[in-house]
Amino acid sequence: MRESIRLATLARDLGELPYGAVVLSPEGSVVGRGQDQVEADSDLTSHAEILSVRDAVRHYGRSLRGCALVSTVEPCAMCFSAAWTAGVSRLVFGLSMAELLAINPASMDEIAIDTVELNKRTRRRLQLRTGVLHSECLALWT
């Protein structure tokens, strides 16, 4: 999570929203990194999670089975779906979408369906872990 926070800080310093994400191999090494680049890319799909999954697929392989996506904020439906499709097994995040919307309503302009609900609708369930380094992730937004 500390690497995800570092990437989110970098994104914020570059004028992006402070989202950061990494993909960890089953052994725990970082195999993909991403930070929000929506403004820089002029691409509304350039979310940190999408970019970290793309990076991991390029460097680790097409299947991310056994890997974890670690994000500073709960992934949106698009990012959850990308991680699921790539085979990610675990999803770890610090701050929930609901918490972020409560403190910064302008931070998200997308379909806000939480990961618990999305996970219920899949054939293969992801392991979910929430609240990791919560205060550090919250500090990115306050």
Side-chain angles (χ1 to χ4, degrees):
M1 182 61 81
R2 294 208 187 281
E3 178 64 4
S4 295
I5 292 168
R6 186 189 72 76
L7 291 165
T9 302
L10 179 59
R12 183 185 60 207
D13 293 348
L14 293 171
E16 303 282 350
L17 290 175
Y19 293 99
V22 297
V23 175
L24 300 177
S25 72
E27 297 77 36
S29 61
V30 175
V31 296
R33 289 177 172 82
Q35 70 214 34
D36 252 37
Q37 293 181 196
V38 170
E39 299 302 324
D41 294 351
S42 294
D43 181 350
L44 297 173
T45 67
S46 287
H47 290 196
E49 298 89 349
I50 296 280
L51 297 175
S52 67
V53 167
R54 286 180 188 163
D55 190 41
V57 167
R58 271 193 301 275
H59 296 102
Y60 188 75
R62 281 192 63 163
S63 175
L64 300 180
R65 295 246 187 255
C67 292
L69 174 62
V70 181
S71 181
T72 53
V73 177
E74 180 177 15
C76 69
M78 175 182 68
C79 294
F80 177 95
S81 296
W84 188 90
T85 300
V88 165
S89 298
R90 291 181 299 131
L91 183 58
V92 178
F93 58 89
L95 191 61
S96 74
M97 283 191 287
E99 290 173 300
L100 181 54
L101 285 169
I103 63 168
N104 189 339
S107 62
M108 299 177 83
D109 187 20
E110 58 226 20
I111 300 168
I113 302 172
D114 69 41
T115 55
V116 171
E117 182 60 33
L118 289 167
N119 211 26
K120 285 180 191 175
R121 296 172 182 245
T122 63
R123 289 176 293 153
R124 176 181 54 83
R125 302 288 191 269
L126 277 65
Q127 296 172 9
L128 303 177
R129 183 166 174 215
T130 66
V132 175
L133 295 181
H134 180 268
S135 59
E136 289 92 333
C137 293
L138 181 63
L140 292 165
W141 297 91
T142 55

